[in-house]
Amino acid sequence: MDGAAFEPVKIGIVSVSDRASSGVYEDKGLPALQDWLTRALKNPIAFEPRLIPDEQDRISAALIELVDAGCSLVLTTGGTGPAPRDVTPEATLAVAHKEMPGFGEQMRQIGLRFVPTAILSRQVAVIRERSLIVNLPGQPKSIAETLEGLKAADGSQLVPGIFAAVPYCIDLIGGPYLETHDAVCKAFRPKSALRPPRESQA
C-alpha cells in the first residue's frame, strides 16, 4: 500500500542530554525514536529533531516551538529521573494545557517489569493545543519497551505499551488519523472511531 494513501504527520523528537548536546558522546535517543516510529506507523512522517541540554527553559521553548510548527506528537527522551539536572517533566508541565497522567502510570508499570528503580522515573504526558507531548526513558531499549509494551513468547500482549493509545488520543485533539503496523504496535480505537481499511477505499 502506497504511503501516500495515509495522512501525513509531523512528529517532534527531542533528546535531552547535557553531554550529548555538547558532543561528549553520540546521542542515541533521536535515532531510537525515529527508527521505532518509522517501523510502527504506516503514515508518512516528517520528523522535527532537537538535541538540547538539561535546561528547563530550553526544553520548554523547544516544545512550544514544535507544537507551533504543527507537530501532532512530540516525544522526548532523557532527563526524567530524580537527579538535580533532570528537569524534563517540569519543562513539559510548564507548557501543558492538560495533563494526561495515565501515560506516566503505564510507563512506570512497564519499567517495573524490568527494574525496581522504575519508580524513580517521573515521566509525564500532556496536551498542548492539538499536540500530545510524552516524556520517554533515555535508553533505546527502554524506549521501545515503553512504546510497544511487553509480549509473551507466543506473541500475546502481557503489558500494553503506551503507543496503543496514542492514535486515538490524537484523534480526540484534532490531529491526523494515525495507523500502525499491528506487528509492532496494535493501536486501539473504539468501534465508533474506526475508519474503513484503506484497501476498501480504493
Side-chain angles (χ1 to χ4, degrees), residues 2-132:
D2 189 332
F6 301 95
E7 285 189 59
V9 60
K10 184 180 284 191
I11 299 178
I13 51 176
V14 182
S15 185
V16 181
S17 169
D18 284 334
R19 288 178 291 176
S21 65
S22 63
V24 173
Y25 63 68
E26 182 184 0
D27 172 67
K28 295 182 178 177
L30 295 176
L33 288 170
Q34 187 163 332
D35 172 70
W36 192 90
L37 290 162
T38 302
R39 288 190 295 111
L41 285 173
K42 296 178 180 179
N43 305 66
I45 307 169
F47 288 105
E48 287 282 347
R50 300 288 187 277
L51 177 57
I52 51 182
D54 293 273
E55 295 174 14
Q56 185 171 335
D57 290 348
R58 293 274 302 274
I59 300 165
S60 290
L63 297 178
I64 292 170
E65 177 190 332
L66 291 168
V67 171
D68 289 349
C71 293
S72 302
L73 176 65
V74 178
L75 299 179
T76 74
T77 174
T80 58
R85 294 288 292 174
D86 289 335
V87 293
T88 302
E90 285 77 14
T92 303
L93 292 169
V95 305
H97 293 151
K98 293 180 181 176
E99 190 173 352
M100 303 294 290
F103 283 98
E105 292 163 7
Q106 185 63 13
M107 285 190 271
R108 283 179 278 280
Q109 285 300 310
I110 294 166
L112 284 167
R113 291 292 188 113
F114 296 96
V115 290
T117 49
I119 59 173
L120 302 180
S121 162
R122 301 184 305 112
Q123 289 127 315
V124 300
V126 305
I127 303 293
R128 179 180 174 84
E129 307 291 355
R130 293 187 175 187
S131 178
L132 172 64

Side-chain angles (χ1 to χ4, degrees), residues 115-187:
V115 290
T117 49
I119 59 173
L120 302 180
S121 162
R122 301 184 305 112
Q123 289 127 315
V124 300
V126 305
I127 303 293
R128 179 180 174 84
E129 307 291 355
R130 293 187 175 187
S131 178
L132 172 64
I133 304 172
V134 184
N135 300 156
L136 293 171
Q139 297 300 319
K141 182 173 182 289
S142 299
I143 290 170
E145 289 163 352
T146 299
L147 293 168
E148 283 182 41
L150 309 179
K151 293 178 181 175
D154 63 0
S156 62
Q157 195 87 41
L158 290 174
V159 181
I162 65 161
F163 204 84
V166 166
Y168 185 51
C169 181
I170 290 175
D171 291 351
L172 293 173
I173 60 176
Y177 191 84
L178 300 185
E179 301 184 59
T180 59
H181 292 285
D182 289 356
V184 179
C185 176
K186 184 174 175 61

